[in-house]
Amino acid sequence: MPRRDFRHARGRGLVLSVRDDGPGIADEDAARVTEQFYRAAKASAVPGEGLGLSMVAAIAHAHGATLELVAAQPGLRVSLIIPEHHATGAEQRGTI
């Protein structure tokens, strides 16, 4: 079952993370998993079209955030990092 973590990291901003305990992403695939329609060899038996992480990366970029993918041994941790100035504004507006 995926684990979620929401925290404010001083100097980084708001960090939203999801971690699973699946097969993870091989080092040779890490640079390409946010490309549209890219499917790693390990993912061939898993349903999907290779759009999920590319959509998350595009949305993150559109909002000035970054996406960080880290091997979790086992699994993968995906973190959306919203910069300090964006996170502070959203907190003041009460939108998060």
Side-chain angles (χ1 to χ4, degrees):
M1 171 172 279
R3 292 174 290 285
R4 294 169 297 280
D5 176 41
F6 307 97
R7 60 189 162 84
H8 183 264
R10 195 149 310 278
R12 290 187 82 189
L14 184 65
V15 180
L16 311 171
S17 298
V18 176
R19 179 185 171 195
D20 68 17
D21 55 4
I25 295 174
D27 290 341
E28 60 269 14
D29 294 319
R32 298 196 59 207
V33 294
T34 58
E35 293 177 17
Q36 289 182 355
F37 304 110
Y38 181 77
R39 303 260 307 161
K42 282 186 190 180
S44 62
V46 178
E49 302 300 327
L51 289 173
L53 286 175
S54 68
M55 289 176 18
V56 172
I59 292 166
H61 179 76
H63 291 281
T66 56
L67 194 63
E68 180 177 270
L69 301 124
V70 177
Q73 309 297 329
L76 179 69
R77 185 180 74 231
V78 178
S79 298
L80 177 68
I81 303 160
I82 303 168
E84 193 82 32
H85 62 281
H86 288 296
T88 301
E91 289 168 358
Q92 289 172 352
R93 289 188 305 273
T95 57
I96 60 170

